[in-house]
Amino acid sequence: MKNKHFSPEYKAINPMSQVPAIVDGRFKLFESHAILIYLCSAFPGVASHWYPGDLFKRSKIHSVLDWHHSNLRRGTVGLVFNSIIGPQNGFPSNAQAAKEGEKLLVKSLAKLENFWLKDGRFLVGSLQPSIADISLVCEIMQLELLLEKDHERILSPYKKVVQWIEDTKKATAPHFDEVHDILFRAQKRFRERMATESVKNELKSKL
Amino acid sequence: MKNKHFSPEYKAINPMSQVPAIVDGRFKLFESHAILIYLCSAFPGVASHWYPGDLFKRSKIHSVLDWHHSNLRRGTVGLVFNSIIGPQNGFPSNAQAAKEGEKLLVKSLAKLENFWLKDGRFLVGSLQPSIADISLVCEIMQLELLLEKDHERILSPYKKVVQWIEDTKKATAPHFDEVHDILFRAQKRFRERMATESVKNELKSKL
């Protein structure tokens, strides 16, 4: 939020100036999926369901993580950035880009509902969560920044998706709420601003 | 080219109707990066440089493959689809989307030149090619569909990138040319069509 990812110190860790990135001893790494795989592999004692050793299960996790990049992620970021985060941070709002983002997001939610979640409580037919559930659920959590009515309109038709988000929250409690605290604080701020603007517009229309 | 990826038979393998996908016995898998990792892991005798067992080298390969999705790939596909493949297949041409694609492509080529290729002949400081070199070089190969002057204008400022493409071709000969045969045939067809259209337009302007 303070643009520290554009500082020379951060660029020495990730020259792309994007979050997240990690430093483990002398080893630097960026890209969230690569980091999740590294953490599961580098530290003993991480339960195997997060990143299974079984080749077939692991390959399916790679498949859904790769799919995520150009579908769910691109849709969510396209909608939330162009309708909320951008305009609140001095970028021009872009209704066309937001609309295209929402279209891809809705298409991706349907694929989650009807394909990725069809065989189990968690992604790719798993009974326990993996790094893929963490990555995709956290992406969807950005939608909390939308107005409540938009959030409800977009997500509620996808019953399995809604249940899966709840299941992932439970499976990662209490850490889930802890790491999302900053998001909920941003949500409160955005919604207050929008409410103020809506009152202003109402007053203007009466003058 | 014949839209067979929209057939029910193909959808049973990949419900996303995208290429590539593989079937190995009863196991189905899609997403090119997941497939490349699977092939290196499932078949004995694949040289370890393609997908190293070393955690640090492997993590860097995951990092560049993840980066690829939203940068080099998105830029290349955005440019080539909106300026060539789309219009040649009945979609309206979209000059704005093609321009945005080119912008992201050029930014990605600069990151390849100055970061990903800074420490070695191949990506992430390797002396021998990995699956990341295959994936990213093949993405760039789509630019062959552009007119020669555009191809030259976009790629030639990036000397290391041009050399790396050549090195990857050599390291994978004769298979590289074999798998790209269909691309070069499409290139020939596109360029002939463009030449015909250009002659037509010239005649029109004289009438």
Side-chain angles (χ1 to χ4, degrees), chain B residues 147-165:
Chain B
L147 290 177
E148 210 167 339
K149 65 178 171 65
D150 293 323
H151 185 267
E152 170 75 10
R153 174 177 55 80
I154 292 170
L155 268 185
S156 66
Y158 304 100
K159 305 294 176 207
K160 277 189 188 173
V161 172
V162 171
Q163 185 58 51
W164 161 67
I165 296 169

Side-chain angles (χ1 to χ4, degrees), chain B residues 32-164:
Chain B
S32 62
H33 296 169
I35 292 171
L36 285 166
I37 293 175
Y38 175 81
L39 295 176
C40 290
S41 310
F43 294 90
V46 176
S48 69
H49 62 84
W50 293 110
Y51 187 57
D54 176 84
L55 177 61
F56 301 110
K57 286 185 188 167
R58 179 173 284 198
S59 297
K60 291 285 184 186
I61 288 172
H62 292 158
S63 178
V64 68
L65 285 173
D66 283 325
W67 172 84
H68 177 37
H69 283 289
S70 305
N71 293 281
L72 181 65
R73 167 162 292 165
R74 192 167 163 185
T76 309
V77 171
L79 171 60
V80 174
F81 185 85
N82 289 295
S83 64
I84 312 264
I85 298 178
Q88 298 275 356
N89 287 284
F91 293 88
S93 71
N94 187 335
Q96 179 62 26
K99 206 179 134 189
E100 277 167 27
E102 185 173 328
K103 209 173 137 188
L104 183 52
L105 165 62
V106 165
K107 208 176 139 191
S108 303
L109 290 171
K111 291 289 184 198
L112 277 169
E113 182 85 4
N114 301 315
F115 177 69
W116 294 114
L117 289 168
K118 78 174 163 35
D119 297 324
R121 262 177 82 196
F122 295 100
L123 293 170
V124 297
S126 300
L127 296 170
Q128 286 180 289
S130 75
I131 55 171
D133 299 284
I134 293 183
S135 176
L136 277 70
V137 167
C138 286
E139 201 74 35
I140 294 177
M141 284 302 288
Q142 287 176 65
L143 300 176
E144 293 284 340
L145 297 177
L146 300 174
L147 290 177
E148 210 167 339
K149 65 178 171 65
D150 293 323
H151 185 267
E152 170 75 10
R153 174 177 55 80
I154 292 170
L155 268 185
S156 66
Y158 304 100
K159 305 294 176 207
K160 277 189 188 173
V161 172
V162 171
Q163 185 58 51
W164 161 67

Side-chain angles (χ1 to χ4, degrees), chain A residues 111-120 122 124-125 160, chain B residues 15:
Chain A
K111 291 288 182 197
L112 277 169
E113 182 86 2
N114 301 316
F115 178 68
W116 295 115
L117 288 168
K118 79 173 160 38
D119 296 322
F122 295 100
V124 298
K160 277 190 190 174

